[in-house]
Amino acid sequence: MKHFRYGVSLLLVLAFALLFVGCAKPPEAEQQAAKAAMDASVVAGAEKFAAAELDAAKKVWEAAEAQVKEKKYKEAKQGYIDAKAAFEKATAAVAAGKKAVTDEVTATLAALDASWVALEAEGKKLERKLKDQKNAWVAEATAFGDNMKAAKDMLAADPLGAKAKAEELKAFVDKWSATFKEVAAIPDKPASKKRSKI
């Protein structure tokens, strides 16, 4: 009889354990909160300005998703909580990333502007030697000014677009630096000497 009581008690404990495990539910609230944080980080621009943080957060999310598939709901719940925190960290990093790009582009534009001023001075010195290239130089000098203004105007709203414009401006500077070096290497024509009549 004693064994029977222990057996019944053991069966009841196992039944309750199975009932408890069978009733465990996926952590839907935590999953939705983490998904909302992920969407917010993407909208904030984490893909552009905090890519490393966003990738790390996505890995935590994917691990939690895998745990749900394996019905490891307790671990998945903690995974979603961690993923939410990681996505919030990525969102917070966007401002710092945007500022870093803005600072970099601002410095690049200032350097390009200074280089172009030096090129304009060099262009004036080489004006006589430019001949065939003079019209192209004048046209590209105007285009450079327009592109510099556009880059500066878009810097606050679209730092990555301004960075692309800065690359275009760098191509102008590189092209005309090389052209002016070639033109400067051309020897000056000696002045024609008039023969004096005796």
Side-chain angles (χ1 to χ4, degrees):
M1 195 68 143
K2 219 177 190 182
H3 292 289
F4 180 71
R5 285 186 202 168
Y6 287 123
V8 171
S9 297
L10 183 61
L11 283 175
L12 284 173
V13 169
L14 286 174
F16 281 120
L18 289 174
L19 183 64
F20 179 73
V21 170
C23 290
K25 294 180 184 175
E28 292 176 6
E30 290 80 4
Q31 182 184 33
Q32 290 172 355
K35 175 79 167 97
M38 177 175 26
D39 294 344
S41 69
V42 170
V43 168
E47 290 176 327
K48 296 176 184 175
F49 300 106
E53 290 86 349
L54 183 64
D55 288 342
K58 284 182 178 178
K59 287 178 183 172
V60 176
W61 166 269
E62 290 164 1
E65 291 282 282
Q67 289 167 335
V68 167
K69 288 179 183 173
E70 296 171 6
K71 299 189 191 263
K72 296 180 179 177
Y73 299 134
K74 183 178 178 184
E75 294 87 347
K77 180 178 180 177
Q78 186 58 49
Y80 286 127
I81 291 169
D82 294 344
K84 180 179 181 274
F87 285 122
E88 289 170 348
K89 180 181 175 187
T91 302
V94 169
K98 199 178 266 190
K99 183 182 180 327
V101 172
T102 301
D103 291 348
E104 175 191 342
V105 174
T106 300
T108 300
L109 291 176
L112 287 169
D113 209 13
S115 296
W116 194 258
V117 168
L119 279 174
E120 286 178 326
E122 185 70 18
K124 287 185 182 192
K125 289 179 190 175
L126 298 172
E127 196 168 18
R128 280 185 274 132
K129 289 185 177 181
L130 281 174
K131 295 181 186 174
D132 298 335
Q133 297 154 329
K134 188 172 182 178
N135 289 336
W137 163 248
V138 170
E140 290 202 12
T142 302
F144 182 89
D146 293 343
N147 284 335
M148 178 62 79
K149 182 182 180 328
K152 287 178 179 178
D153 289 347
M154 71 172 35
L155 187 57
D158 182 13
L160 292 176
K163 186 174 183 178
K165 279 279 185 205
E167 289 300 318
E168 292 174 21
L169 293 169
K170 186 177 181 320
F172 278 104
V173 170
D174 292 345
K175 173 186 175 185
W176 286 102
S177 292
T179 300
F180 287 166
K181 282 180 186 174
E182 289 173 13
V183 170
I186 298 171
D188 289 329
K189 292 180 182 177
S192 59
K193 295 179 184 176
K194 292 185 178 179
R195 293 183 188 178
S196 57
K197 293 182 181 178
I198 304 183

